[in-house]
Amino acid sequence: MNCHLDRRKFLSTMTLASAGVTLGGPAFAYLPSENKKPALLGGPKAHPDQFPGWPVAGRSDEQGLVDVLRSKKWGRLSGNSVATFENKFKELTGAKHCLGVSSGTNALYTSLGVLDIGPGDEVIIPVYTFIATYNVVVLNYALPRFVDTDLESFQIDATKIEQAISRNTRLIMPVHIGGSPADMDTVMEIAGRHDIPVIEDACQAHLAEWKGQKVGTIGMAGAFSFQSSKNLNSGEGGAVLSNDDAFARNAFNFQNQSRGTDSDSSTYRSTRGSNLRMTEFQGNLLTTQMDVLSSQASTRSLNATYLTELLHEIPGIYPAKLYPGVTQSAYHLYMFRYDKREFADMPRSRFLQALAAEGVPCSGGYRSMNKEDYVQRLAKNRHYLKLYGEKAMQEWVETSSCPQNDLLCEQAIWFTQSMLLGTKNDMEQIAEALVKIRTHAGELVKS
């Protein structure tokens, strides 16, 4: 049965349910009662249907790929699909320049290449991020400096950036985690005072805004990903945005084996480069996918706002805070914290299991990157020992503590962006699942 409740009635109903009041009748089919236990305890699923699938493809996407196939111009140096995408994406974001590349990781790698980041340099990054943010730093044999997380927002704690700056700091690279902007006013103010460039890792943040300005256009450059999970998707792919003419020119050269523009590719322009070019297939698919990007973003935003209103009513559930400067979140992820003390001390692993059983897919998000073996082993890497010395690398390990992030990694819960393309009723059923679990938390812990 699909029920759709007036929000005021719905919230008051959940409040009663949380207090242990038994409710009945068809309007409350998925709210806790003596006969509506969590699915793990034999009750019905709170969300019995499927959330929208991903990706969403249409005839225009199919025809565009066929057109590229038949043109026999599959690479950007002979075609025009990538250039068409670049023009459309820069118009959509308000950027002066857009460069398509083969992945979001390579968008970051290109940006660091333009700035000539290398051995002996330090790059400030958040500790709560995808490993690619770290990888592009160490691929250049620079030293990543982790900054702890703002527990409430899941973003880099911008107030702690300054204490991570040293005489070797060459770049600050904030990440807009989950598609929600970091505190860019604080980031840019600190960067400006220390004359350090800012590259925005906006790989998850398509169309997100800080005070009406699209993220990725605030710092010297911004990097985007079009990997298959992303809100704008071509399977793999990426882009670099910049309002700086010289940066944009050098970015093109870097990803084109250090050679010049499409029309003048015979001269080498720098001392380093690689082939990171986007294909015509990717460019064409991104162009057609952009036709629905804004409408999908609007749907996500409306559903996320409504879901946040509902979840704020449930003790122990804390949706990620948006900073006052956020005028639009991309909601690549819907993130919240789970406080087990309000759920009879139910371990998060059991909570995730119970939520999934209700028909609500979920995950625990990132782990503490600074504590991962993959990262810790950098201190023993022979190249890093040769460049920085054993003492400096041991100090790097010892100063990488991020206690707030450790706490977040114990509490975080994620929903994926495609779930937010569902209906208002889907959002209500997510909330209903949480109420059921909380009401019967004690039984779930014992079972």
Side-chain angles (χ1 to χ4, degrees):
M1 178 186 298
N2 271 341
C3 58
H4 183 79
L5 309 179
D6 173 80
R7 177 180 172 272
R8 185 174 299 172
K9 181 188 294 183
F10 181 78
L11 292 179
S12 63
T13 298
M14 289 204 301
T15 302
L16 290 170
S18 297
V21 177
T22 300
L23 300 165
F28 309 117
Y30 296 107
L31 291 179
S33 73
E34 58 186 6
N35 296 318
K36 302 300 181 191
K37 293 184 176 182
L40 277 183
L41 298 179
K45 290 183 177 182
H47 186 265
D49 301 317
Q50 295 295 313
F51 285 97
W54 189 259
V56 178
R59 289 186 177 180
S60 60
D61 302 303
E62 181 180 352
Q63 186 59 51
L65 292 174
V66 170
D67 289 344
V68 172
L69 182 71
R70 290 174 176 170
S71 74
K72 298 185 179 180
K73 296 178 179 180
W74 297 354
R76 77 163 296 157
L77 298 182
S78 60
N80 56 22
S81 292
V82 173
T84 299
F85 153 70
E86 291 168 339
N87 287 329
K88 189 171 182 178
F89 196 56
K90 73 180 182 182
E91 290 173 5
L92 189 63
T93 58
K96 189 174 182 181
H97 302 282
C98 173
L99 171 68
V101 292
S102 54
S103 70
T105 302
N106 282 333
L108 293 168
Y109 188 61
T110 297
S111 299
L112 269 64
V114 172
L115 296 177
D116 198 25
I117 300 297
D121 295 339
E122 295 183 5
V123 178
I124 293 175
I125 63 173
V127 69
Y128 197 72
T129 183
F130 183 57
I131 196 68
T133 311
Y134 164 89
N135 278 339
V136 296
V137 178
V138 299
L139 280 171
N140 286 283
Y141 296 100
L143 197 62
R145 288 292 182 186
F146 296 116
V147 173
D148 207 351
T149 308
D150 174 5
L151 187 66
E152 292 186 354
S153 71
F154 287 57
Q155 306 297 326
I156 187 172
D157 187 341
T159 65
K160 296 178 180 177
I161 289 176
E162 195 154 28
Q163 66 194 52
I165 294 175
S166 76
R167 60 186 177 86
N168 296 318
T169 303
R170 296 292 178 266
L171 176 64
I172 299 173
M173 194 156 64
V175 182
H176 305 300
I177 289 296
S180 296
D183 180 1
M184 290 307 294
D185 280 0
T186 302
V187 171
M188 297 304 294
E189 190 275 328
I190 293 171
R193 276 196 287 109
H194 291 271
D195 194 26
I196 301 171
V198 172
I199 300 294
E200 300 172 70
D201 182 338
C203 286
Q204 299 179 358
H206 313 78
L207 301 189
E209 295 179 358
W210 179 263
K211 294 185 175 180
Q213 183 176 357
K214 296 290 192 295
V215 299
T217 68
I218 301 168
M220 179 170 285
F224 290 81
S225 170
F226 308 123
Q227 179 267 346
S228 56
S229 72
K230 299 302 191 293
N231 299 19
L232 181 60
N233 164 25
S234 57
E236 293 289 352
V240 179
L241 298 184
S242 183
N243 293 321
D244 185 289
D245 294 343
F247 186 97
R249 182 174 60 253
N250 291 331
F252 185 96
N253 296 345
F254 186 88
Q255 60 87 51
N256 191 36
Q257 300 285 24
S258 83
R259 298 188 295 175
T261 62
D262 289 336
S263 59
D264 179 20
S265 59
S266 60
T267 304
Y268 294 97
R269 306 290 175 148
S270 64
T271 57
R272 293 195 301 162
S274 185
N275 175 10
L276 309 174
R277 296 187 296 263
M278 176 179 281
T279 71
E280 289 290 278
F281 292 101
Q282 291 169 301
N284 194 295
L285 185 55
L286 289 167
T287 299
T288 55
Q289 284 284 297
M290 257 189 287
D291 291 339
V292 295
L293 179 62
S294 293
S295 63
Q296 288 174 340
S298 178
T299 298
R300 289 189 195 95
S301 185
L302 288 171
N303 277 329
T305 299
Y306 184 57
L307 182 59
T308 296
E309 292 174 354
L310 299 179
L311 300 197
H312 271 313
E313 302 294 323
I314 304 174
I317 300 297
Y318 304 104
K321 177 187 74 176
L322 300 181
Y323 292 112
V326 176
T327 47
Q328 178 67 47
S329 171
Y331 287 108
H332 174 63
L333 298 167
Y334 186 92
M335 306 179 295
F336 63 91
R337 288 181 294 124
Y338 162 70
D339 186 347
K340 67 179 183 179
R341 292 173 297 183
E342 293 286 349
F343 286 75
D345 282 328
M346 185 192 309
R348 185 181 62 162
S349 58
R350 182 62 167 167
F351 174 82
L352 289 168
Q353 184 183 18
L355 193 54
E358 298 293 340
V360 180
C362 52
S363 78
Y366 299 131
R367 298 184 297 186
S368 295
M369 183 197 294
N370 55 317
K371 294 183 174 181
E372 294 280 358
D373 287 344
Y374 178 74
V375 172
Q376 291 273 309
R377 287 199 301 270
L378 189 69
K380 300 297 183 182
N381 180 280
R382 65 186 181 91
H383 302 295
Y384 273 78
L385 289 173
K386 189 174 183 179
L387 286 166
Y388 300 95
E390 185 174 357
K391 180 181 179 182
M393 290 309 300
Q394 186 58 39
E395 288 177 350
W396 175 76
V397 171
E398 293 170 355
T399 57
S400 292
S401 174
C402 295
Q404 288 297 103
N405 187 70
D406 292 340
L407 180 57
L408 175 63
C409 290
E410 295 174 358
Q411 297 182 342
I413 308 290
W414 287 1
F415 298 147
T416 59
Q417 54 87 8
S418 61
M419 294 169 66
L420 297 176
L421 295 178
T423 65
K424 192 174 182 181
N425 193 49
D426 288 326
M427 303 304 107
E428 290 171 352
Q429 290 179 348
I430 291 172
E432 291 165 12
L434 292 168
V435 172
K436 287 173 65 178
I437 293 169
R438 183 173 183 273
T439 303
H440 294 272
E443 298 168 69
L444 286 165
V445 169
K446 294 176 183 177
S447 65

